[in-house]
Amino acid sequence: MGFGKGGMYQSRLEELQNHFKTRNKIREYSAHSSKVHSVGWSCDGRRLASGSFDKSVTIFSLDRDRMNKEHTFRGHTGSVDQLCWHASNPELLSTASGDKTVRIWDARAQRSAATINTKGENINITWAPDGNTIAVGNKEDLVSFIDSRTHKIKTEEQFSFEVNEISWNNQSSLFFLTNGQGCVHILSYPELQLQHVLKAHPGTCICIEFDPTGKYFATGSADALVSLWDVEELACVRTFSRLDWPVRTISFSHNGQLLASASEDLMIDIAEVETGAKVGDITVEAATFTVAWHPKLYLLAYACDDKDQYDRKRDTGNLKVYGFPSD
């Protein structure tokens, strides 16, 4: 039995590696006048959004193998640090900004649908999979829970530790936080009662992502490791250790088979989830702080801290997409 399973994994690994041999083209798009902090695809994969230090949000539309700039949203008066789309409505996305607001944008109407005032400079945001709640964390480790229908803050939770990234599980019944002590705190939702504390890493636990199948979640840490966790058992299944710098961002592919991770290393690692084997990597010229797989295709959007080749002090403000057919 073991040999059969091993053979199955090997053939799938070769299939994935072969896919990217013919679909490894990177396209670069001018999006902002300053550093891009966050990229994300709408749930139907037709739009890609980017948020930037330049206070704007840019929307691109994907038509077959072409990306076109659709609209730039302005309104935030501070840096847009993170964005997330509604899990089932492909028109709505939300943004967290240092201007102490959360905004909800309607991509189809090309306007701001709501502005929610919060208590601090917001740095991370996540939308519950059931679509009803947006959680936003600020620099003072206060997490606010916003009703996405009334645009009112339902509750707030102050934490006594450094809160990094936040996420719900796929059922919206548990709320996860990564922290500066290398732990993952798991709270019941909506009660926000502490259920578990996982000691996930010896270094700061930076990012967290759930795979679309609901089987795993992954964490990235300052120890340069990505850990893969079984959702049911809350046990670490394996670690990915090909990066040398703190892991800033991770993303699962649409089918849960691939995991991309990035850092200040000059490459983005693409691993097969079930074996940890390397499927490929993307060479980059600067630190990468945001990656996002397309929800239906093997297309990876990302943004690096790239500088203008003629003016090294100036950010390019570009985003990139990897996985288009090679010419």
Side-chain angles (χ1 to χ4, degrees):
M1 282 296 286
F3 176 76
K5 202 170 184 184
M8 180 187 77
Y9 284 142
Q10 185 59 34
S11 68
R12 189 168 67 192
L13 176 63
E14 287 168 7
E15 195 179 307
L16 289 165
Q17 288 169 336
N18 287 334
H19 172 89
F20 290 109
K21 279 177 186 161
T22 58
R23 298 184 74 90
N24 58 15
K25 188 178 177 68
I26 297 165
R27 295 209 179 128
E28 189 166 355
Y29 305 94
S30 174
H32 298 275
S33 61
S34 193
K35 183 177 170 181
V36 178
H37 283 158
S38 183
V39 296
W41 298 94
S42 59
C43 60
D44 62 359
R46 291 173 61 187
R47 289 189 176 98
L48 174 65
S50 56
S52 166
F53 183 75
D54 74 1
K55 309 171 189 172
S56 72
V57 180
T58 298
I59 307 282
F60 289 83
S61 56
L62 176 67
D63 181 18
R64 296 189 183 87
D65 283 337
R66 291 181 64 83
M67 295 274 296
N68 302 297
K69 192 185 284 191
E70 195 173 286
H71 188 69
T72 297
F73 289 120
R74 302 185 195 282
H76 278 301
T77 57
S79 168
V80 179
D81 281 356
Q82 203 169 40
L83 62 84
C84 62
W85 290 85
H86 191 289
S88 55
N89 183 335
E91 313 299 342
L92 295 180
L93 76 151
S94 61
T95 49
S97 171
D99 67 7
K100 301 186 179 180
T101 70
V102 167
R103 281 186 179 243
I104 299 173
W105 308 90
D106 187 324
R108 188 178 43 197
Q110 300 191 344
R111 64 179 178 82
S112 173
T115 302
I116 300 103
N117 292 306
T118 59
K119 285 183 178 168
E121 295 176 41
N122 300 310
I123 51 174
N124 46 43
I125 194 165
T126 182
W127 207 318
D130 65 13
N132 296 334
T133 314
I134 297 167
V136 59
N138 71 22
K139 285 184 176 175
E140 283 76 50
D141 308 310
L142 177 78
V143 179
S144 302
F145 295 86
I146 300 162
D147 187 314
S148 59
R149 295 153 298 185
T150 64
H151 307 144
K152 299 274 192 296
I153 293 175
K154 294 193 282 192
T155 184
E156 294 171 334
E157 193 78 12
Q158 178 67 56
F159 292 92
S160 58
F161 49 78
E162 173 192 310
V163 174
N164 291 319
E165 222 164 57
I166 50 180
S167 178
W168 272 274
N169 65 346
N170 293 13
Q171 294 75 38
S172 308
S173 60
L174 294 170
F175 190 73
F176 288 65
L177 311 99
T178 63
N179 80 6
Q181 282 101 47
C183 296
V184 179
H185 285 240
I186 306 171
L187 285 68
S188 61
Y189 189 80
E191 304 83 9
L192 297 176
Q193 297 297 316
L194 184 64
Q195 305 295 305
H196 303 280
V197 178
L198 294 181
K199 183 70 177 126
H201 294 271
T204 296
C205 198
I206 298 171
C207 48
I208 183 165
E209 174 99 357
F210 279 78
D211 99 273
T213 70
K215 189 175 177 186
Y216 300 120
F217 66 91
T219 54
S221 167
D223 61 14
L225 292 177
V226 176
S227 296
L228 184 74
W229 298 82
D230 183 294
V231 167
E232 293 296 319
E233 305 288 328
L234 295 179
C236 182
V237 181
R238 68 185 53 84
T239 57
F240 306 80
S241 57
R242 281 183 291 272
L243 298 174
D244 294 324
W245 289 83
V247 180
R248 301 286 180 185
T249 176
I250 50 182
S251 180
F252 282 99
S253 62
H254 61 282
N255 52 12
Q257 289 187 10
L258 297 176
L259 182 63
S261 50
S263 62
E264 289 159 67
D265 288 77
L266 298 183
M267 67 114 173
I268 298 169
D269 183 68
I270 300 174
E272 188 189 29
V273 169
E274 286 297 349
T275 61
K278 179 174 176 168
V279 172
D281 59 42
I282 306 166
T283 302
V284 294
E285 292 173 17
T288 306
F289 293 104
T290 178
V291 296
W293 282 110
H294 187 279
K296 296 176 181 175
L297 306 166
Y298 286 139
L299 289 175
L300 185 74
Y302 62 99
C304 307
D305 198 5
D306 289 332
K307 303 295 179 190
D308 187 287
Q309 59 177 332
Y310 302 111
D311 178 2
R312 299 307 295 169
K313 290 186 179 139
R314 201 173 76 82
D315 297 314
T316 61
N318 293 354
L319 62 85
K320 300 172 189 182
V321 181
Y322 165 85
F324 289 114
S326 318
D327 293 338

